[in-house]
């Protein structure tokens, strides 16, 4: 580990001396892109993060948001574990789950739901399948063992992720009493610092630095020591022990040990309180012999928390640790001086905590505009186009993934994975909580700004389709090497697009994560702004996406079907499959009013089924709604390409009261009648001079491509 020359000069100027080896390592990690957001922080001011519902916004381990009309809070957090998941897909993904759950614990919350958004290279490649299977196994193993349900998420395959997959994990926690809220801000000099949880080993050393560099060809071998190894059974004990600590009012402040390990957590904890600390590194409980100061300071061993505890409560904290077979070391105390670490009587770190955490200079990077997109539409028969898109891994059923997750543990999941969004029953507050997470690299690759606006609108539409209105969001902003102007230009446009649409929809972005340097010998990833959004409704009931076979079929918000625009196929799975290009489609002009109206429609008495239209277009949406007992006959006027475009902000509604739907959308967005549902179990589509007929059995065959390929 070494500091860049310019950073070294700043440190020497601040300290008035040469830094010690441990200080160099600590600055190198905490001033890395992963921790300090040196290239992205100048862009993040674009996000609006305030609102009456926001209790704690960006800057803590997780955000805290008040649920409407009750005394309960939820926490929201998201993180990436991209590089570790390339080097070791099982442990890399598993420890991503463990980390975001501990972020939840550090706020005094109990974790109630997870979402995973996963991005891999071309599905046909053996290495992509290896990473895909390992990541899903790691997430399912860890989440299932700790008893936190994975209820929603997304999976995408794109050439840009071949050498650098993305693993983004979000978590919701519940605080059913505001007095249980804890923050990461140290409170009082003289309080003790307690390292709580598993013993410290040598795994994960330099993980923050590792996450701030491009992956090399030998990363799977050379960078293996930087990947943490998780133990979900210890995490489950930590979750329950945390509940007892919070119940007993034994914790003054808390920080999860993640990037940069103990050095990162303890220094950030005291810096946020404008304080310092004296830490004795030899007092840290260790699982490996002869660890030196730097290893103890920067180890990213999992299942560990740093707690600030009043002196009179230390014995009770230690007793709870013993009860759960966890370690608890009193490693130092909060002071009003510098952040000081000693090891066997020698001072190895003596710096100002605020300078350590906030002193890194921001990068002023160049951008290049994205090249213009030309129109090149392949001439493909409608039947071939629909069959090809239906059998794409991107639009195929993800049942193989979510069936490996225990999504019903804790008995809250009212709408299960596989629908537009999950719906959780928060009975403590009498609130239905909808949850959606994801991005589409096809969209953001062809049009970073418009594609990112579409990502925000699509996630909000997922909530509205189940009758929920957006409450808050967190984002995970993934990009390539920001030192390349074209890469940073695309990333910057993606941030702006996501921020603009969230502001338009009045969704505060209350926290998030940034992951840059996602480059490899195969090139940079597409800009990938994962958004995880929660919304609320007054009940736990919602229309499913499967047809009932008894109503009229309407499409809300489709500008091309209504004749207001031409169908544009930019970013579509169709163009990806047939190597075409086009502009990205226009979005509705009043997206906020549209989302509110869709949520109203979802809860109308005559609404039988609802399904968001996005990935794969209207053709895929209709096919997904067909069952063995319910089908539909569809007749479209105008251009058949309307079936394949992926304009978000659209929803298919099966209803027995079409006039009520039209009335709810009056003047906000177009409503187009496209056909009727029936009991045939067959989807028949007539468009222009072409027609397609697909049975439920045939649709299932096309959409089963993932397990068939893997098996």
């Amino acid at each position: 580990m070494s500091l860049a020359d310019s950073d070294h000069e700043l440190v020497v100027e601040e300290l008035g001396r040469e830094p010690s080896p441990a200080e160099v390592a600590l600055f190198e990690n905490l001033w890395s892109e992963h921790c300090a957001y040196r290239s992205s922080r100048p862009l993040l001011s674009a996000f609006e993060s305030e609102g009456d519902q926001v209790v704690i916004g960006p800057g803590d381990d997780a955000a805290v948001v008040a649920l409407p009309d009750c005394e309960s809070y939820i926490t929201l957090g998201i993180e990436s574990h991209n590089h570790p998941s390339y080097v070791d897909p099982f442990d890399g993904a598993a420890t991503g789950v463990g980390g975001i759950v501990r972020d939840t614990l550090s706020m005094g919350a109990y974790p109630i739901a997870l979402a995973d958004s996963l991005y891999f290279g071309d599905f046909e490649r053996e290495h992509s399948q290896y990473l895909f299977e390992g990541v899903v196994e790691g997430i399912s193993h860890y989440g299932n063992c700790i008893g936190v349900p994975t209820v929603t998420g997304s999976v995408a395959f794109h050439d840009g992720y071949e050498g650098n997959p993305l693993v983004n994990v979000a978590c919701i926690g519940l605080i059913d009493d505001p007095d249980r809220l804890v923050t990461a801000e140290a409170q009082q000099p003289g309080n003790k610092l307690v390292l709580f949880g598993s013993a410290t080993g040598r795994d994960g050393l330099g993980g923050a630095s590792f996450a701030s560099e491009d992956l090399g060809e030998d990363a799977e071998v050379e960078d293996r020591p930087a990947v943490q190894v998780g133990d979900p059974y210890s995490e489950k004990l930590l979750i329950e022990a945390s509940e007892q600590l919070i119940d007993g009012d034994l914790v003054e402040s808390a920080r999860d040990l993640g990037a940069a390990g103990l050095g990162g957590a303890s220094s950030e904890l005291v810096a946020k309180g404008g304080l310092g600390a004296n830490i004795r590194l030899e007092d840290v409980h260790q699982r490996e012999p002869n660890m030196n100061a730097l290893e103890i300071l920067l180890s990213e061993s999992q299942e560990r928390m740093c707690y600030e505890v009043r002196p009179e409560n230390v014995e009770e904290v230690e007793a709870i640790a013993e009860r759960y077979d966890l370690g608890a070391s009193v490693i130092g105390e909060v002071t009003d001086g510098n952040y000081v670490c000693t090891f066997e009587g020698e001072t190895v770190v003596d710096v100002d905590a605020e300078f350590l955490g906030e002193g890194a200079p921001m990068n002023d990077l160049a951008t290049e505009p994205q090249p213009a997109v030309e129109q090149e539409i392949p001439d493909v028969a409608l039947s071939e186009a629909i069959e090809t898109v239906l059998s794409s891994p991107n639009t195929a059923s993800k049942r193989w993934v979510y069936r490996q997750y225990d999504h019903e543990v804790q008995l809250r999941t009212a709408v299960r994975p596989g629908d537009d969004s999950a719906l959780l029953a928060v009975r403590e507050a009498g609130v239905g909580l909808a949850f959606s997470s994801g991005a589409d690299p096809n969209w953001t690759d062809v049009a970073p700004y418009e594609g990112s606006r579409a990502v925000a609108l699509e996630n909000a539409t997922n909530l509205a389709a189940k009758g929920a209105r957006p409450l808050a969001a967190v984002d995970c902003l993934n990009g390539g090497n920001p030192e390349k102007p074209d890469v940073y230009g695309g990333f910057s446009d993606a941030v702006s697009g996501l921020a603009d649409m969230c502001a338009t929809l009045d969704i505060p972005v209350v926290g998030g994560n940034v992951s840059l340097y996602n480059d490899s010998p195969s090139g940079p990833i597409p800009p990938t702004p994962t958004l995880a959004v929660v919304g609320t409704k007054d009940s736990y009931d919602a229309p499913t996406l499967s047809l009932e076979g008894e109503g009229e079929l309407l499409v809300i918000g489709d500008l091309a079907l209504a004749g207001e625009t031409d169908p544009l196929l930019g970013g579509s799975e169709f163009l990806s499959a047939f190597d075409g290009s086009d502009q990205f489609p226009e979005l509705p002009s009043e997206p906020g009013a549209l989302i509110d109206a869709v949520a109203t429609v979802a809860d109308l008495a005559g609404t039988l089924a609802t399904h968001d239209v996005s990935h794969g277009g209207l053709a895929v949406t209709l096919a997904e709604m067909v069952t063995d007992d319910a089908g539909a006959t569809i007749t479209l006027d105008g251009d058949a390409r309307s079936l394949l475009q992926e304009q978000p902000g659209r929803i298919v509604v099966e209803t027995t009261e079409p006039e009520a739907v039209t009335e709810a959308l009056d003047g906000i967005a177009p409503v187009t009648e496209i056909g009727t549902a029936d009991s045939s179990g067959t989807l028949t589509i007539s468009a222009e001079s072409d027609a397609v007929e697909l049975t439920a059995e045939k649709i299932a065959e096309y959409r089963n491509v993932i397990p068939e390929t893997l098996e």
Side-chain angles (χ1 to χ4, degrees):
M1 302 178 191
S2 61
L3 276 170
D5 290 343
S6 58
D7 290 346
H8 182 269
E9 291 174 6
L10 284 175
V11 171
V12 169
E13 182 181 352
E14 172 70 19
L15 301 184
R17 57 173 172 82
E18 283 291 325
S20 70
E23 288 169 339
V24 168
L26 199 53
F27 274 107
E28 200 270 344
N29 274 267
L30 290 178
W31 284 17
S32 67
E33 186 67 51
H34 185 72
C35 291
Y37 292 3
R38 300 176 66 160
S39 300
S40 59
R41 190 178 297 185
L43 305 176
L44 300 183
S45 61
F47 289 103
E48 295 184 11
S49 58
E50 297 182 353
D52 292 341
Q53 71 273 45
V54 181
V55 180
I56 295 178
D60 219 309
D61 276 349
V64 180
V65 179
L67 293 176
D69 303 321
C70 67
E71 294 296 314
S72 296
Y73 297 159
I74 60 166
T75 63
L76 283 174
I78 191 168
E79 75 167 34
S80 61
H81 240 218
N82 303 336
H83 287 185
S85 297
Y86 176 81
V87 174
D88 182 343
F90 180 91
D91 281 317
T95 51
V97 174
I100 198 62
V101 166
R102 291 192 304 279
D103 284 342
T104 303
L105 299 182
S106 71
M107 308 305 296
Y110 194 90
I112 62 170
L114 292 163
D116 60 344
S117 293
L118 313 175
Y119 309 84
F120 303 95
D122 189 333
F123 181 67
E124 299 300 322
R125 294 174 179 166
E126 185 176 345
H127 190 247
S128 297
Q129 294 176 20
Y130 156 74
L131 294 173
F132 176 43
E133 290 184 289
V135 164
V136 171
E137 185 182 2
I139 290 171
S140 66
H141 173 70
Y142 207 99
N144 294 352
C145 288
I146 63 175
V148 181
T150 303
V151 297
T152 191
S154 62
V155 179
F157 300 95
H158 186 285
D159 281 343
Y161 304 111
E162 175 60 26
N164 198 131
L166 303 183
V167 175
N168 297 171
V169 184
C171 185
I172 297 175
L174 178 64
I175 301 174
D176 56 15
D177 180 349
D179 291 338
R180 294 172 60 87
L181 177 62
V182 177
T183 71
E185 182 177 324
Q187 300 295 307
Q188 181 70 40
N191 284 341
K192 300 299 181 181
L193 292 175
V194 178
L195 184 60
F196 193 98
S198 295
T200 298
R202 290 187 170 93
D203 54 319
L205 284 170
S209 299
F210 164 55
S212 304
E213 300 172 349
D214 294 343
L215 284 172
E217 292 182 358
D218 56 357
E220 289 170 291
V221 176
E222 293 296 322
D223 292 319
R224 182 63 187 84
V227 179
Q228 309 93 333
V229 178
D231 177 2
Y233 302 105
S234 293
E235 182 102 346
K236 177 59 176 173
L237 295 172
L238 188 60
I239 291 170
E240 302 308 323
S242 175
E243 281 291 285
Q244 286 210 5
L245 293 171
I246 300 301
D247 283 343
D249 193 23
L250 301 176
V251 174
E252 305 305 305
S253 65
R255 194 82 176 185
D256 149 61
L257 268 69
L262 175 61
S266 57
S267 65
E268 291 167 351
L269 186 77
V270 296
K272 284 180 70 69
L275 298 168
N278 286 333
I279 293 176
R280 298 173 294 277
L281 296 174
E282 67 272 16
D283 289 345
V284 169
H285 53 290
Q286 303 161 40
R287 68 167 184 262
E288 298 184 38
N290 304 316
M291 292 185 69
N292 61 38
L294 190 149
E295 291 171 332
I296 297 168
L297 194 63
L298 291 181
S299 165
E300 295 184 10
S301 294
Q302 298 292 283
E303 292 84 41
R304 300 181 300 159
M305 304 286 291
C306 183
Y307 291 132
E308 179 191 7
V309 178
R310 294 194 302 271
E312 63 270 24
N313 290 331
V314 168
E315 286 189 11
E316 193 169 351
V317 169
E318 291 174 330
I320 290 174
E322 184 175 358
R323 187 178 309 148
Y324 285 93
D325 198 23
L326 297 169
S329 301
V330 180
I331 59 170
E333 49 276 331
V334 179
T335 71
D336 56 5
N338 270 0
Y339 177 73
V340 178
C341 299
T342 60
F343 183 66
E344 297 178 347
E346 178 186 353
T347 299
V348 294
V349 175
D350 186 354
V351 299
D352 178 76
E354 185 174 1
F355 178 70
L356 180 61
E358 300 293 334
M362 297 297 103
N363 294 331
D364 184 14
L365 300 174
T367 63
E368 285 183 3
Q370 304 302 298
V373 177
E374 297 181 359
Q375 188 177 61
E376 189 174 330
I377 310 298
D379 185 12
V380 181
L382 183 62
S383 58
E384 181 185 0
I386 291 177
E387 290 170 8
T388 300
V389 171
L390 273 177
S391 59
S392 164
N394 278 327
T395 56
S397 170
K398 304 305 186 297
R399 179 182 170 84
W400 180 88
V401 177
Y402 61 74
R403 286 297 295 165
Q404 298 186 51
Y405 304 149
D406 186 346
H407 47 264
E408 294 188 346
V409 65
Q410 299 191 27
L411 303 178
R412 295 184 183 275
T413 313
V415 173
R416 302 172 181 178
D419 213 308
D420 292 326
S421 66
L423 184 64
L424 304 169
V426 185
R427 299 179 184 88
E428 297 87 341
V431 170
L433 188 67
F435 192 15
S436 174
S437 175
D440 190 318
N442 282 340
W443 299 355
T444 51
D445 193 18
V446 70
Y449 178 81
E450 286 299 327
S452 297
R453 292 183 71 238
V455 165
L457 180 57
E458 196 256 339
N459 276 286
T461 307
N462 285 338
L463 305 183
K466 303 300 121 181
R469 289 170 172 81
L471 181 71
V474 289
D475 58 30
C476 194
L477 305 172
N478 307 272
N481 188 332
E483 298 165 44
K484 301 175 181 178
D486 59 332
V487 171
Y488 192 61
F491 177 78
S492 177
D493 286 348
V495 172
S496 297
L498 196 70
D500 286 353
M501 182 55 78
C502 286
T504 299
L505 296 174
D506 198 23
I507 304 174
V509 180
V510 294
N513 175 261
V514 178
S515 176
L516 296 176
Y517 291 95
N518 289 295
D519 271 49
S520 69
S522 62
I525 65 163
T528 311
T530 298
L531 193 69
V533 190
V534 294
T536 57
K537 61 180 302 183
D538 293 335
S539 73
Y540 317 138
D541 297 323
T544 68
L545 63 76
S546 298
L547 293 173
E548 293 287 336
E550 300 174 0
E552 301 296 314
L553 292 179
L554 310 178
V555 180
I556 296 172
D558 195 314
L559 305 181
L561 278 182
E564 296 182 10
T565 65
D566 292 329
L568 296 172
L569 300 178
S572 67
E573 192 60 34
F574 167 71
L575 288 188
S576 176
F578 292 100
D579 297 321
S581 60
D582 197 4
Q583 299 292 318
F584 195 77
E586 290 186 38
L587 303 183
S589 60
E590 297 184 61
L594 171 62
I595 294 300
D596 189 62
V598 168
T600 297
V601 167
D603 285 337
L604 290 174
T607 298
L608 304 179
T610 56
H611 193 8
D612 153 74
V613 183
S614 54
H615 314 303
L618 181 59
V620 168
T621 296
L622 292 168
E624 289 174 338
M625 299 179 77
V626 171
T627 70
D628 290 336
D629 301 318
T633 301
I634 306 297
T635 303
L636 298 183
D637 297 327
D639 197 326
R641 289 181 296 178
S642 298
L643 287 162
L644 300 169
Q645 76 158 359
E646 297 189 11
Q647 174 226 312
R650 294 178 292 166
I651 181 173
V652 173
V653 180
E654 181 189 10
T655 178
T656 58
E657 300 176 352
E659 298 84 1
V661 175
T662 302
E663 183 179 345
L665 272 297
D666 185 31
I668 296 172
V671 177
T672 308
E673 296 183 15
I674 60 170
T676 58
D678 53 47
S679 60
S680 66
T682 299
L683 174 64
T684 303
I685 302 176
S686 300
E688 295 183 302
S689 59
D690 212 339
V692 177
E693 185 173 288
L694 295 166
T695 64
E697 182 180 6
K698 195 65 177 177
I699 291 169
E701 180 182 320
Y702 288 136
R703 302 194 68 241
N704 203 38
V705 63
I706 289 177
E708 285 187 354
T709 302
L710 295 178
E711 291 168 6

